[in-house]
Amino acid sequence: MDFSDSPEEATFRAKARDWLNANATLRDGSEKAQDHFMARDADEVARARDWQARKAKAGWAGLTWPRAFGGRDATPIEQVIWNQEEGRYAVPPNVFLIGIGLVGPTVMIHGTQSQKTAVLPRALTGEDIWCQLFSEPAAGSDLAGIRTRARRDGDDWVISGQKVWTSGAHYSSHGILLARTDPQVPKHKGMTMFLVDMSDPAIETRPIRQISGGASFNEVFIDDLRVPDSARLGGESEGWKVALTTLMNERFSISVGRASGGARAEELIALATRVERNGRPAIQDGEVRARIADFVARQRGLEFTSYRVMTSLSRGDAPGEEGSIGKLLLGKLRQEMGAFGLELAGTAAGVSAGADDDAARWRNEYLTAPGNRIAGGSDEIQRTIIGERILGLPPEMRVDKTVPFSEL
Amino acid sequence: MNFGFSEEQDTIRETLARMLGDHATLEVAHTRLDSGEGFDTATWSALAEGGWLGLAMSEAHGGSGMGAVELAILAEEVGRCMAAVPCLPVLCMAVPALQSAGTEDQRRSLLPGIAEGRTIIAMALAEGGGLAPDTVSAKVAQGRLSGQKSPVTFGAEATHALVAATDEEDTPRLYLADLTASGVTTSALDPIDRTRPTAEIVFDNAPVELLPGSDPAAIYRLLSGAAVLAAFEQIGLAGRALALTTAYAGERHAFGRPIGGFQAVKHRLADMFAKIELARSNAFFGAWALASGDSRLPEAAAVARLSALDAVQFVTEESIQLHGGIGFTWAADPHLFLRRGWQLKAELGPAVLWRERLIDNLADAPWAAS
Ligand SMILES: Cc1cc2nc3c(=O)[nH]c(=O)nc-3n(C[C@H](O)[C@H](O)[C@H](O)COP(=O)(O)OP(=O)(O)OC[C@H]3O[C@@H](n4cnc5c(N)ncnc54)[C@H](O)[C@@H]3O)c2cc1C
C-alpha cells in the first residue's frame, strides 16, 4: 500500500514533466476543464494531430503499447502518471482515444501482419483518427442485434446499413465496423469485424445534435461500401469475439484515461465561496456543505478505485470487471454535481449571462453528464455485469441466444 | 504507486480470517446478543494468544511492530466475523494514543497488559452526544477529574479509560483513568448493538494521569486514525452482509427462479457492491495516509468515514429487505449487521461531523457556525 511514486515512477514522472515543460504551456487557472477526447472543430482536430505527432516522435504516444508496435511498454500506472502530468498543460483534446485505446489493441490481437503495419504506426502518430462503428438504431445495449449487412462478392465484401451515436465520425479517417455476415445462425455467431476508410463515398456521416447543444456524435449511413477481404479483422463470423476485445479495452481506457472528464468537486467549494445563499456565503450553509462533502467522498473513491484497478493490472492481472464500478458511479455523480452546481450558480446569477459564467459552465456539465450514463454500456448494463460476473447471480432469462438471427 | 496489499499482508489476512472464523461465528454473535453478555472474551483471548493484540506495538512493549495497514486488516476481519471485541477502542485508539501522546512509563505499564488481553482501555471521549474535543465539559484540576462520559463502549468491561477533559487552562487533553479507583461510577446503558456493551461513566474527583502529548490537534489526529481503521471494520461487516445476501438471493426461489435472477434484486446487490468498493478505495488511501504520516490524513479520514457510513447503512438496510420476512426476524442474521453498523456510527460520530471536518479542511477559511 503505497500511494507515492516508486523510484522508477518518480523518474518517469520527472522525464514526462521535463518534456511537457519544454513542449507545452501549463494551463492557467481560468481554463475550464473540458471533455478531453472530443474535438469541437476542425482547428482543434488539426492541433490535436500536431500534438500527437510531436508526442509520437518523442516516444510519448501509445505508452502502454508494446515496443514492437512503436509503444513504450509502459505500465498502466505510468499511463496514469502521464495523464496526470499532461492534464496540467493546455493541450488539445485526445481524439485518438479510440484509435490508440480500442482499435490498436484489437488489431494487435486479431489483425494480420499487413493490417498491423497499415494501422498501428499511423494510429500512433495521429495521421489516422479512428471511430467505433458498433451501435445501430436497433442495437445499443444489445449490440449483438446489429443489422448492418456485409455480403461476400467475389474477393470483396459489400456492406450496407446504418450506424448511430458514432463519436467523432465526422472527423475520423477510419472506422472499426461490426457487421452481420450470417443471419441464419444465432445472433452472436453471425458477425464479422471490418476496418473501413471513412472517406469512401459509400459512407455518409451526419452529425447529431446532443442535449448539450454540441454535435460530437453522428449517424453514419453505409450504402454498398465495397471493401477487400483484407479489410476483415479476425475470422469470418468471429466478429463478436473481436468486439469483446474492443469493449474490454474500452473499459480499460475509461478507467485509465481522462475519458472520465468532468468537474472536480473542489470546484463546487470555490463556487460556493463566491455565491450567496440565505444572505451569506453559500459555503456557510449546512446543506451546501453536506452535499459537497458527499461529492468529494464519492469522487475520491472513484479516483482511488481506478488506482486499485491500475495496481492489479500492473501486477499482471487481466482488466477485470472492477472497471464497471467506476463506469457505474461516475455518470450519476457527475449528473448530481452538475445539477447542484447549476442550482448554486443560479442563486446568484440567475440565467447564464455569458458563455463563460458559472451558470453556463454548470449547465453544460449537467447537460453533458447524461451521456456518461449511457455511452460505453449504460448504468443498467453495468449493474447486470457486476451482478452476474462479479457476484455470480443467475443470468437474465433470454429468448434470443439460440434462435437464428433471421427468426428473431 | 501500489494500491494493494503485499503477499505478507495477504498471509496475515488469511491467518486472521481462519482464526477468527473458528471463534467468532455468527452463532456466537447471536448468543452474545441474546444473553446480553456482549463481550466475546474467548475471541479476545484467542487474539491475544495469537499475538494479534500487540500487532502494532513495538517489540519492546510486547508487540510485533507492524503498522497501520496490518491493523486495518485486523479491523476488517473483526468486522467480517462480527466479533464482539473492543478492537476499535483498545487497538485502534487507546494504543495509538499511548504510543503518540503517552509517557514511556505509561506505555511500559499498560501496553504489555493490552497485548496479553488483561488490560482493556475504553475511550471516554463523548459526552452529551458530542465527540469533538472542543465541546468537552469534563474538567481536571490538580490531577482529579470530574465529569460525565457517555456513551463509552466496553466501559463496564474496561480496566482503564482514556478520558477527554479540559485541563486547568481549559485546553482539551487526554487523561488516563483507572476505572477501579474511587470516584468512578460505571453504569450500563442499552446500546442498539448489545454485542457492544456500552456504559456511562461518572467521574467525581477521580484520580487521573495526563497523557502529556495530548492536545486538541493530537486528539483530532487520533480521531482521524480511528475513522480510517473503523472504516475497515465497517467494510468488513458490510462485505459479509453482502455475501450472505448474495448467497440468499441465489438460493431463495420465487416465481420459479432464484430471486437473484430478477433485475430489481440483482441491480440492488450491484449497488451494494459498488458502495462497498468505493468505501474500500477511500479506506485504502486513508490507511496509506495513516501509515505514512501524510498531511492529507484529515481529509482522507473524513472521506473514508463518509463513504463507509454510506455503504454500511445502505447495505445493511437492503440486506434486510432482500431477505423478505425472514430478514425482519430476530433469529436471522441481517439485523446483527444493521446494529453493529449503527454502533460503529455512534462511536465515532455521524456523517454530519465528518462532512464538517472535510469541508473545513478543503475550504480556505474554516467556517464558524453563527
Ligand atoms: C455520448 C455517447 C457517445 C457514444 N459513442 C459511441 C461510439 O462512438 N460508437 C458506438 O458504437 N456507440 C456509441 N454510443 C452508443 C452507446 O454505446 C449506446 O447508446 C448504449 O450502448 C445504449 O444503447 P441504446 O442507445 O440503443 O439504448 P438501449 O439499449 O435501447 O437502452 C435504453 C434503456 O434501456 C436500458 N436497457 C437496455 N437493455 C437493458 C437490459 N437488458 N436490462 C436493463 N435495462 C436495459 C438501458 O440501460 C437504457 O436505459 C454512444 C452513446 C453516447 C450517449
Side-chain angles (χ1 to χ4, degrees), chain A residues 15 19 31 98 204 206 273 279 292 393 404:
Chain A
K15 273 195 206 154
W19 188 82
E31 192 146 344
I98 293 177
E204 190 198 340
R206 289 186 209 151
T273 311
I292 298 178
L393 292 163

Side-chain angles (χ1 to χ4, degrees), chain A residues 334-402:
Chain A
R334 200 177 166 189
Q335 192 168 33
E336 286 178 38
M337 281 188 3
F340 191 68
L342 188 51
E343 232 178 75
L344 268 185
T347 326
V351 291
S352 154
D356 284 334
D357 67 12
D358 288 327
R361 153 112 180 82
W362 290 98
R363 185 164 69 196
N364 184 55
E365 190 65 20
Y366 181 58
L367 293 175
T368 305
N372 288 153
R373 299 186 57 195
I374 299 166
S378 69
D379 286 4
E380 290 71 25
I381 296 301
Q382 302 308 324
R383 288 193 178 94
T384 298
I385 291 176
I386 293 172
E388 294 179 7
R389 300 201 207 140
I390 300 183
L391 299 177
L393 292 163
E396 307 280 283
M397 295 228 254
R398 306 249 330 225
V399 290
D400 62 341
K401 271 186 118 164
T402 48

Side-chain angles (χ1 to χ4, degrees), chain A residues 146-344:
Chain A
I146 52 152
R147 294 177 184 177
T148 293
R149 274 287 267 136
R151 291 186 173 79
R152 273 271 189 193
D153 184 24
D155 284 343
D156 293 342
W157 293 90
V158 177
I159 308 175
S160 285
Q162 186 194 341
K163 295 292 175 178
V164 76
W165 324 130
T166 319
S167 300
H170 52 305
Y171 53 69
S172 292
S173 59
H174 292 77
I176 182 169
L177 179 146
L178 188 62
R180 185 155 310 277
T181 42
D182 185 357
Q184 306 313 322
V185 295
K187 63 202 287 191
H188 292 91
K189 303 208 163 108
M191 292 177 284
T192 304
M193 193 72 85
F194 296 93
L195 302 172
V196 303
D197 183 339
M198 295 298 286
S199 66
D200 193 298
I203 299 181
E204 190 198 340
T205 297
R206 289 186 209 151
I208 305 175
R209 199 164 180 210
Q210 295 136 206
I211 62 170
S212 52
S216 63
F217 62 23
N218 304 267
E219 47 187 348
V220 176
F221 298 89
I222 305 137
D223 187 14
D224 282 344
L225 169 70
R226 181 171 288 274
V227 297
D229 190 46
S230 59
R232 174 171 47 80
L233 179 62
E236 196 175 330
S237 292
E238 300 208 327
W240 187 245
K241 193 170 99 187
V242 182
L244 289 180
T245 305
T246 314
L247 296 174
M248 185 179 82
N249 280 285
E250 181 171 23
R251 263 208 304 263
F252 172 70
S253 297
I254 290 175
S255 18
V256 78
R258 274 173 287 149
S260 48
R264 301 279 316 165
E266 283 83 351
E267 291 176 55
L268 286 169
I269 296 183
L271 174 61
T273 311
R274 282 200 302 277
V275 302
E276 294 205 335
R277 185 180 260 207
N278 300 327
R280 50 183 185 166
I283 192 65
Q284 295 181 6
D285 180 273
E287 190 212 341
V288 169
R289 297 167 68 81
R291 292 295 305 277
I292 298 178
D294 281 329
F295 293 144
V296 171
R298 285 156 70 189
Q299 196 163 58
R300 299 272 168 101
L302 281 173
E303 193 180 320
F304 300 143
T305 300
S306 85
Y307 296 157
R308 282 172 58 198
V309 174
M310 294 315 114
T311 296
S312 50
L313 289 173
S314 292
R315 289 176 175 184
D317 304 340
E321 319 295 347
E322 299 91 342
S324 293
I325 302 165
K327 178 69 191 63
L328 169 60
L329 299 176
L330 176 80
K332 184 73 179 143
L333 170 64
R334 200 177 166 189
Q335 192 168 33
E336 286 178 38
M337 281 188 3
F340 191 68
L342 188 51
E343 232 178 75
L344 268 185

Side-chain angles (χ1 to χ4, degrees), chain A residues 1-4 9 77 284 289 294 297 300-301 304-305 308 311 315 383-384 388 394-397, chain B residues 1-5 257 263 266-267 271 277-278 280-282 285 288 299 355-356 359-360 367 370:
Chain A
M1 195 75 69
D2 190 352
F3 192 73
S4 43
E9 288 161 1
I77 290 182
Q284 295 181 6
R289 297 167 68 81
D294 281 329
R300 299 272 168 101
F304 300 143
T305 300
R308 282 172 58 198
T311 296
R315 289 176 175 184
R383 288 193 178 94
T384 298
E388 294 179 7
E396 307 280 283
M397 295 228 254
Chain B
M1 182 178 65
N2 166 10
F3 232 39
F5 295 101
R257 53 188 318 225
Q263 259 194 12
K266 183 184 291 175
H267 286 190
D271 285 337
E277 293 311 309
L278 194 82
R280 189 188 306 283
S281 301
N282 280 330
F285 183 70
W288 171 78
E299 266 168 66
R355 290 191 190 114
E356 286 300 324
I359 299 293
D360 277 345
W367 171 58
S370 51

